[in-house]
Amino acid sequence: MNTTPCIITVAITGSLPKKKDNPAVPITVAEQIESTHEAFEAGATLVHLHVRNEDGSPSSDPARFAPLLDGIRRHCPGMITQVSTGGRSGSGRERGAMLSLKPDMGSLATGSCNFPTRVYDNPPDLVEWLASEMLHHGIKPEVEAFDLSMIFQAAQLAREGKIKGPLHVQFVMGVKNAMPVDREVFEFYVKTLQRLAPDATWTGAGIGRDQVTLARWSLELGGHCRTGFEDNVRLDRETLAPSNAALVRQVVDLCADFGRRPATPAEARRLLGLPAA
Ligand code: MG
């Protein structure tokens, strides 16, 4: 049995207008810091961050990221900060505008795919540019793999020394029009990553009610977990989660079923090869 401590990522806000589905989704910087702190106390050791304008629309403004990163560093000692360079909050290089703030990590999609209502557009030159900006600022990428080719692309970037290793990949399943939740494919993702990059770590992320499915599979196969309002606002099909912390506690409880326990911040940093806080 794999007993590696589990790094629990909490994706607190996202960029979709989920606020209307659940008023508990934190939007303002103050709400985000408070929600992150609660999730940290509950057992999350990595926070994935988007920022929004006061009206809830997505933003990529470094001036909004700066106080958020400061607040999290102050209130959640050792917690790993990860900014999103995903495509909703800007286009082209705008998406990396906050990397100069030197968070611990940045998300990096290494290819394009379809999303529910649009193309998630990650052309090769933008992927290379985001990777080089992260390397320049000492930021470790979390590769967002929405299909198999993105895992190969990530392994190649790592081999060429274009990203800070060891490689960390998140397998995302259940985004409409991208890769559905499929156990055999998931196992093949894990096997392929281990073959291409034996020192790599990985996380499983599922959307909606599949958040729990992916958490279970990841705990079983030795990976790490992601939860939070960005991907899901429900504890189950009927019940709105009251907070990001409640979603984190759900994963903490699942850990015991698989002989795992949540990583401490120091363990999470060591597992990802990040410097101590
Ligand atoms: Mg995101």
Side-chain angles (χ1 to χ4, degrees), residues 1-256:
M1 188 185 266
N2 187 315
T3 56
T4 308
C6 174
I7 303 164
I8 302 177
T9 293
V10 63
I12 55 168
T13 300
S15 55
L16 288 171
K18 289 222 175 84
K19 184 94 178 166
K20 71 174 169 39
D21 299 328
N22 185 349
V25 175
I27 300 296
T28 67
V29 167
E31 286 170 350
Q32 288 186 301
I33 293 169
E34 194 185 339
S35 188
T36 302
H37 182 244
E38 281 174 21
F40 177 71
E41 302 262 276
T45 41
L46 195 165
V47 62
H48 173 83
L49 299 164
H50 289 249
V51 292
R52 301 213 210 165
N53 300 309
E54 295 296 332
D55 66 359
S57 61
S59 163
S60 60
D61 186 357
R64 296 190 77 83
F65 272 106
L68 178 58
L69 289 169
D70 282 349
I72 292 170
R73 285 171 184 144
R74 201 150 10 99
H75 294 283
C76 311
M79 192 176 206
I80 297 162
T81 53
Q82 180 188 97
V83 297
S84 170
T85 67
R88 281 190 192 277
S89 48
S91 64
R93 295 186 176 191
E94 227 182 294
R95 288 165 46 181
M98 78 304 274
L99 294 172
S100 59
L101 299 171
K102 300 189 193 311
D104 295 300
M105 300 182 79
S107 63
L108 178 68
T110 49
S112 303
C113 63
N114 277 352
F115 263 13
T117 58
R118 68 188 181 101
V119 175
Y120 186 26
D121 196 14
N122 295 292
D125 59 336
L126 179 61
V127 174
E128 291 260 344
W129 182 81
L130 286 168
S132 70
E133 277 296 287
M134 289 188 205
L135 199 57
H136 172 71
H137 291 294
I139 297 167
K140 175 165 174 158
E142 173 181 87
V143 170
E144 307 303 332
F146 293 87
D147 78 26
L148 187 59
S149 69
M150 300 185 198
I151 298 169
F152 278 82
Q153 209 56 43
Q156 179 157 342
L157 286 169
R159 244 187 340 263
E160 292 172 347
K162 291 181 175 170
I163 58 179
K164 187 173 159 180
L167 188 58
H168 181 67
V169 177
Q170 179 159 264
F171 307 127
V172 188
M173 290 189 142
V175 174
K176 191 181 172 199
N177 301 327
M179 182 54 71
V181 176
D182 184 290
R183 174 72 186 214
E184 282 190 39
V185 172
F186 184 73
E187 288 183 19
F188 190 71
Y189 278 178
V190 173
K191 211 169 79 178
T192 302
L193 179 65
Q194 287 169 342
R195 176 168 62 84
L196 299 176
D199 63 345
T201 50
W202 58 272
T203 299
I207 306 302
R209 66 173 185 270
D210 293 316
Q211 194 165 66
V212 174
T213 311
L214 268 286
R216 287 180 168 282
W217 292 355
S218 300
L219 287 166
E220 182 189 340
L221 299 183
H224 303 285
C225 295
R226 162 158 151 163
T227 190
F229 281 147
E230 173 165 349
D231 308 330
N232 178 31
V233 295
R234 288 175 191 278
L235 273 175
D236 57 42
R237 284 185 203 211
E238 283 81 38
T239 324
L240 279 183
S243 62
N244 279 303
L247 290 166
V248 171
R249 278 191 286 272
Q250 187 179 39
V251 177
V252 171
D253 289 345
L254 283 177
C255 282

